[in-house]
Structure formats: C-alpha cells, structure tokens
Amino acid sequence: MFLSRLTPKWLVRETRGLSARLGRRLSEYRLFAYLAILGPGLIAANAGNDASGIATYSSTGAAFGYSLLWVFIPMTISLIVVQEMCVRMGVVTGQGLADLIREQFGVRWTAFVMLALLIANTGVIISEFVGIAQASELLGVPRFVSLPIAGGFIWWLVVKGSQKRVERVFLAMSLVFFSYVISAFMAKPDWGEAASGFVEPTFSLDTVYLFTIMALIGTTITPFMQVFVQSSVVEKGMDKDDLPLVRADVIVGTVFACAIAAFITIATAATLHQQGIYEIDSAATAAESLVPIAGQYAKYLFAIGLFGAAMLAMGVLPLSTAYSISEALGFEKGLSRSFREAPIFI
C-alpha cells in the first residue's frame, strides 16, 4: 500500500496498459494455437455425416418425427469419448491406430481388422459416389459429368496436395453443412416439440424402432473416423503439450457434426413426417419431398449439403484406408511425403 502511494500515476497507467496488451496478445496466441491445431477432430466427425448418414437421419425424421432426437445426446457423448481416446493415444504414443493394434495384438489380428476395415470402407466409398451422383442430378448436372470430375479432384487433392492443403480443403468442405441448418429453419418446425424430443426419451421394443437407433449409432460412430483422426494427429507431430487443444478440437467437431445431424432429422420431421410421408429410400428422395412443403430452395440446399458431405467423406475414407494399411504393414505414410518416400501410401 505504501509503495503504491509512492508510485507515479503515469507509471501505474503504463503498467496497467502493458498488462492489458499482454492479456490481449496471450488471448490471440491461444486463438492462433487452436486454429493451427484445428482440423482432425472436426474433419473426422463431419466425415461421419456422409451420404448414407444423411439418408439415415432423413429416414429417422420422416418415420419417427422428433421422438428419436434424444438419441443424439448419448451418441454425442460416446463419440467425444471415442475420438478423444484416439487422439490421446496418438499424441502420447506417436503411433497410428493400426500401429498400436499390430504392436499389442500381433499380425494375425491386425490382418483381420485391416481386411474388415478395407471391405467396410470400400462399401462406404461406393455409397459416396451414389450420393454425389444423386446430388448433382438434383442440381441439374448429369452424373456422367459430375462423377469423373469429383473423382479426379479428390485424387489430385490427396495425391498432389500437402497435409496442410488437404486439411484446409476438408475444413472448407465442412462449411456446406450449414445448408442443413438453413433447411431446418425453412421447414418451420415446432421448436418446442423438437426440444421435448431431446429431453423426453421414448422407448419401444418395436423392431423398426430398435433397428433405427442402431442405424443412428452405426452411421455416426464409424471405424474410419477413429483411424483418420489418430493418424492425422500423429502426422501433424502433436505432443502432450497440445493435448488440451486437441481435445477441444474433438469436442467442438463432434458437437458440430451431431448438431448438423439433428438439424437434418428436424428438417424431415417438420416436413415429411407431418405430411404423412414416413418412408424414403435415399437423401435425394428426401430433398425432392421437401419441395412442395418447404420450397424449391430447400431442395437445393439439401442437395448442396449432400454433395459436400459425400465429397468430404470420399476424401477421408481413402486416406483412412491408406493410413491403416501402411501402418499395419510398416510402410512409410503421410500426405506430405512424395511417391518415392511412401509408394504404398500414395
């Protein structure tokens, strides 16, 4: 107290100003640090909202309205736990998921897991091509034009692009998911009823009801997401000091992806279910069905979201497969490596 009275006022003001500037600089540094690490968690979670996922969420809203929205809460928590566990293993060990499986369980189990992953990823990639074809035709572009262009672009991006460039493009693709938020608002749902669907669980032993819940969980928490997020963390060279920011990336990405999935369900619940349309066979059918209820723009927004989601997943799926096979066989891997350095991965 005595020293503070002897301190000149101008020095006190300068000290306070310096402290404020240092505080702002520290906040900016934290923001830039987060933006530098931002990517794996957000991309992996959004890749789960692929063409087949959008079809599942649309079918759920059409068949059950708002009554299954409560499933998204435990589903979000579960996905956060799984993704956080993978990034933590990647940061602490510096190894990908396939590396750790081979190290802990041996070659036989690794071969079995990689074969199952390869078969599953191949099937999902085919569904992404179907989603791109359907979305492009909704937008007035023939599939014979859109599919070669989309496939060529993904090949060029993954083979020729660096790790940073690929990640930035994937993050940009994630922005198309906001089209589903707009579609949901255009559908003019009963937000009070939707909120009740989140906080008032409904239960049934009906086969279709239980199958739909399993389909929601299966399309949201998929193996390729875990492989991709852990391998991406390892390739970015993150260490234990980065773990808090990596966790934040996982949490933000998962909440965003699951919120988008909920908006898709709300959009079809407010339109298709309310009009008595309980069955749809694809996301494209859902988009077409929105026209007489929510207007032509809702159809185009839905189609744009479907196209972007399929493109994102079509880029992530081959990468997760390449990461896992390269790690399982002990070959060099990485987007920043040349063909000579990582021929198997490329």
Side-chain angles (χ1 to χ4, degrees):
M1 181 68 70
F2 177 73
L3 290 175
S4 63
R5 289 178 180 176
L6 294 178
T7 304
K9 292 183 178 181
W10 66 268
L11 183 57
V12 174
R13 288 195 300 268
E14 288 295 326
T15 303
R16 289 175 179 174
L18 179 60
S19 299
R21 288 194 296 273
L22 287 174
R24 287 195 296 269
R25 290 287 178 85
L26 183 59
S27 299
E28 291 174 358
Y29 170 77
R30 289 173 178 171
L31 176 61
F32 288 137
Y34 174 70
L35 292 176
I37 289 177
L38 176 68
L42 185 60
I43 293 170
N46 281 322
N49 290 340
D50 58 354
S52 58
I54 293 169
T56 302
Y57 303 137
S58 302
S59 300
T60 301
F64 296 97
Y66 305 110
S67 62
L68 280 180
L69 288 175
W70 64 271
V71 177
F72 287 95
I73 296 178
M75 202 161 61
T76 302
I77 297 172
S78 300
L79 184 55
I80 288 174
V81 171
V82 173
Q83 295 285 81
E84 191 277 336
M85 180 173 60
C86 287
V87 298
R88 181 156 35 94
M89 288 191 295
V91 167
V92 173
T93 65
Q95 295 177 288
L97 191 57
D99 270 332
L100 293 180
I101 292 175
R102 186 189 64 212
E103 186 178 284
Q104 297 295 322
F105 299 100
V107 177
R108 291 184 180 180
W109 277 110
T110 304
F112 175 77
V113 171
M114 291 305 105
L115 178 62
L117 182 67
L118 180 62
I119 294 172
N121 284 2
T122 301
V124 178
I125 289 173
I126 293 172
S127 73
E128 306 312 330
F129 276 105
V130 174
I132 289 174
Q134 293 177 339
S136 64
E137 290 183 342
L138 286 171
L139 296 170
V141 180
R143 64 179 61 192
F144 301 106
V145 176
S146 62
L147 286 178
I149 293 175
F153 172 75
I154 293 297
W155 175 87
W156 174 83
L157 176 66
V158 172
V159 174
K160 301 296 183 180
S162 63
Q163 190 269 336
K164 288 184 178 180
R165 181 185 299 172
V166 172
E167 194 170 85
R168 287 171 184 171
V169 173
F170 283 168
L171 287 172
M173 287 180 181
S174 300
L175 296 177
V176 300
F177 287 107
F178 283 107
S179 64
Y180 290 116
V181 179
I182 301 172
S183 295
F185 279 94
M186 290 179 67
K188 298 179 181 179
D190 184 337
W191 292 108
E193 190 176 349
S196 298
F198 280 107
V199 298
E200 296 178 4
T202 59
F203 299 97
S204 174
L205 295 178
D206 179 68
T207 303
V208 177
Y209 182 91
L210 296 176
F211 179 79
T212 303
I213 292 178
M214 288 189 291
L216 284 172
I217 297 172
T219 198
T220 305
I221 307 174
T222 53
F224 75 85
M225 297 164 60
Q226 280 72 65
V227 172
F228 177 82
V229 73
Q230 185 164 337
S231 296
S232 296
V233 165
V234 172
E235 185 171 354
K236 292 186 78 168
M238 298 178 185
D239 54 27
K240 296 179 182 179
D241 294 334
D242 299 319
L243 190 55
L245 291 175
V246 176
R247 282 175 173 157
D249 177 40
V250 165
I251 294 171
V252 171
T254 301
V255 171
F256 176 78
C258 290
I260 295 299
F263 275 114
I264 296 171
T265 304
I266 291 171
T268 53
T271 51
L272 307 185
H273 184 78
Q274 295 298 324
Q275 297 295 319
I277 304 174
Y278 303 130
E279 294 184 7
I280 56 174
D281 56 6
S282 67
T285 304
E288 291 281 9
S289 302
L290 288 174
V291 174
I293 306 163
Q296 193 77 13
Y297 290 113
K299 166 190 169 182
Y300 291 136
L301 286 170
F302 215 84
I304 290 170
L306 175 60
F307 183 84
M311 286 288 288
L312 176 61
M314 196 169 70
V316 171
L317 276 158
L319 278 178
S320 69
T321 306
Y323 276 127
S324 58
I325 299 299
S326 299
E327 290 169 3
L329 298 177
F331 292 111
E332 291 292 337
K333 63 186 184 300
L335 284 167
S336 298
R337 296 183 181 274
S338 65
F339 180 79
R340 290 185 177 180
E341 294 173 324
I344 300 299
F345 179 83
I346 300 298

PDB file of all heavy atoms in Angstrom, residues 50 112 125 147 204 267 271 282 319 345:
ATOM      1  N   ASP A  50     -21.917 -38.534 -43.829  1.00  0.00           N
ATOM      2  CA  ASP A  50     -21.769 -38.766 -45.256  1.00  0.00           C
ATOM      3  C   ASP A  50     -23.122 -39.028 -45.912  1.00  0.00           C
ATOM      4  O   ASP A  50     -24.171 -38.822 -45.293  1.00  0.00           O
ATOM      5  CB  ASP A  50     -20.802 -39.934 -45.501  1.00  0.00           C
ATOM      6  CG  ASP A  50     -21.271 -41.220 -44.825  1.00  0.00           C
ATOM      7  OD1 ASP A  50     -22.276 -41.186 -44.087  1.00  0.00           O
ATOM      8  OD2 ASP A  50     -20.634 -42.263 -45.036  1.00  0.00           O
ATOM      9  N   PHE A 112      -6.753 -59.288 -39.798  1.00  0.00           N
ATOM     10  CA  PHE A 112      -8.210 -59.454 -39.763  1.00  0.00           C
ATOM     11  C   PHE A 112      -8.918 -58.111 -39.677  1.00  0.00           C
ATOM     12  O   PHE A 112      -9.882 -57.840 -40.412  1.00  0.00           O
ATOM     13  CB  PHE A 112      -8.595 -60.337 -38.569  1.00  0.00           C
ATOM     14  CG  PHE A 112     -10.081 -60.463 -38.371  1.00  0.00           C
ATOM     15  CD1 PHE A 112     -10.837 -61.284 -39.186  1.00  0.00           C
ATOM     16  CD2 PHE A 112     -10.726 -59.741 -37.364  1.00  0.00           C
ATOM     17  CE1 PHE A 112     -12.207 -61.394 -39.009  1.00  0.00           C
ATOM     18  CE2 PHE A 112     -12.095 -59.837 -37.178  1.00  0.00           C
ATOM     19  CZ  PHE A 112     -12.837 -60.682 -38.010  1.00  0.00           C
ATOM     20  N   ILE A 125     -17.367 -46.017 -49.664  1.00  0.00           N
ATOM     21  CA  ILE A 125     -16.916 -45.172 -50.771  1.00  0.00           C
ATOM     22  C   ILE A 125     -17.877 -45.278 -51.949  1.00  0.00           C
ATOM     23  O   ILE A 125     -18.204 -44.275 -52.605  1.00  0.00           O
ATOM     24  CB  ILE A 125     -15.484 -45.570 -51.204  1.00  0.00           C
ATOM     25  CG1 ILE A 125     -14.475 -45.147 -50.129  1.00  0.00           C
ATOM     26  CG2 ILE A 125     -15.121 -44.913 -52.535  1.00  0.00           C
ATOM     27  CD1 ILE A 125     -13.068 -45.638 -50.379  1.00  0.00           C
ATOM     28  N   LEU A 147     -19.411 -37.208 -61.706  1.00  0.00           N
ATOM     29  CA  LEU A 147     -18.613 -38.260 -61.077  1.00  0.00           C
ATOM     30  C   LEU A 147     -17.147 -38.245 -61.515  1.00  0.00           C
ATOM     31  O   LEU A 147     -16.251 -38.304 -60.662  1.00  0.00           O
ATOM     32  CB  LEU A 147     -19.240 -39.630 -61.351  1.00  0.00           C
ATOM     33  CG  LEU A 147     -20.515 -39.942 -60.553  1.00  0.00           C
ATOM     34  CD1 LEU A 147     -21.078 -41.305 -60.942  1.00  0.00           C
ATOM     35  CD2 LEU A 147     -20.242 -39.898 -59.056  1.00  0.00           C
ATOM     36  N   SER A 204     -39.347 -48.121 -27.022  1.00  0.00           N
ATOM     37  CA  SER A 204     -40.224 -49.090 -27.654  1.00  0.00           C
ATOM     38  C   SER A 204     -39.424 -50.335 -27.988  1.00  0.00           C
ATOM     39  O   SER A 204     -38.230 -50.249 -28.299  1.00  0.00           O
ATOM     40  CB  SER A 204     -40.855 -48.508 -28.922  1.00  0.00           C
ATOM     41  OG  SER A 204     -41.595 -49.496 -29.614  1.00  0.00           O
ATOM     42  N   ALA A 267     -35.456 -31.220 -39.899  1.00  0.00           N
ATOM     43  CA  ALA A 267     -35.989 -30.740 -41.176  1.00  0.00           C
ATOM     44  C   ALA A 267     -36.977 -31.733 -41.781  1.00  0.00           C
ATOM     45  O   ALA A 267     -38.058 -31.349 -42.250  1.00  0.00           O
ATOM     46  CB  ALA A 267     -34.843 -30.488 -42.156  1.00  0.00           C
ATOM     47  N   THR A 271     -41.343 -31.699 -42.009  1.00  0.00           N
ATOM     48  CA  THR A 271     -41.936 -31.680 -43.346  1.00  0.00           C
ATOM     49  C   THR A 271     -42.544 -33.034 -43.710  1.00  0.00           C
ATOM     50  O   THR A 271     -43.766 -33.185 -43.780  1.00  0.00           O
ATOM     51  CB  THR A 271     -40.881 -31.286 -44.389  1.00  0.00           C
ATOM     52  OG1 THR A 271     -39.722 -32.121 -44.217  1.00  0.00           O
ATOM     53  CG2 THR A 271     -40.470 -29.832 -44.206  1.00  0.00           C
ATOM     54  N   SER A 282     -33.740 -42.634 -49.883  1.00  0.00           N
ATOM     55  CA  SER A 282     -32.429 -42.005 -50.010  1.00  0.00           C
ATOM     56  C   SER A 282     -32.518 -40.541 -49.612  1.00  0.00           C
ATOM     57  O   SER A 282     -33.617 -39.992 -49.457  1.00  0.00           O
ATOM     58  CB  SER A 282     -31.915 -42.108 -51.456  1.00  0.00           C
ATOM     59  OG  SER A 282     -32.713 -41.326 -52.324  1.00  0.00           O
ATOM     60  N   LEU A 319      -8.085 -41.987 -47.426  1.00  0.00           N
ATOM     61  CA  LEU A 319      -6.957 -41.642 -46.563  1.00  0.00           C
ATOM     62  C   LEU A 319      -6.900 -42.546 -45.332  1.00  0.00           C
ATOM     63  O   LEU A 319      -5.828 -43.015 -44.940  1.00  0.00           O
ATOM     64  CB  LEU A 319      -7.056 -40.179 -46.130  1.00  0.00           C
ATOM     65  CG  LEU A 319      -6.550 -39.139 -47.128  1.00  0.00           C
ATOM     66  CD1 LEU A 319      -6.768 -37.737 -46.587  1.00  0.00           C
ATOM     67  CD2 LEU A 319      -5.073 -39.361 -47.430  1.00  0.00           C
ATOM     68  N   PHE A 345       1.552 -45.849 -49.578  1.00  0.00           N
ATOM     69  CA  PHE A 345       0.531 -44.903 -49.097  1.00  0.00           C
ATOM     70  C   PHE A 345      -0.054 -44.105 -50.255  1.00  0.00           C
ATOM     71  O   PHE A 345      -1.266 -43.938 -50.359  1.00  0.00           O
ATOM     72  CB  PHE A 345       1.160 -43.940 -48.082  1.00  0.00           C
ATOM     73  CG  PHE A 345       0.196 -42.913 -47.543  1.00  0.00           C
ATOM     74  CD1 PHE A 345      -0.658 -43.236 -46.497  1.00  0.00           C
ATOM     75  CD2 PHE A 345       0.147 -41.634 -48.074  1.00  0.00           C
ATOM     76  CE1 PHE A 345      -1.542 -42.288 -45.996  1.00  0.00           C
ATOM     77  CE2 PHE A 345      -0.746 -40.697 -47.588  1.00  0.00           C
ATOM     78  CZ  PHE A 345      -1.594 -41.026 -46.547  1.00  0.00           C
TER      79      PHE A 345
END
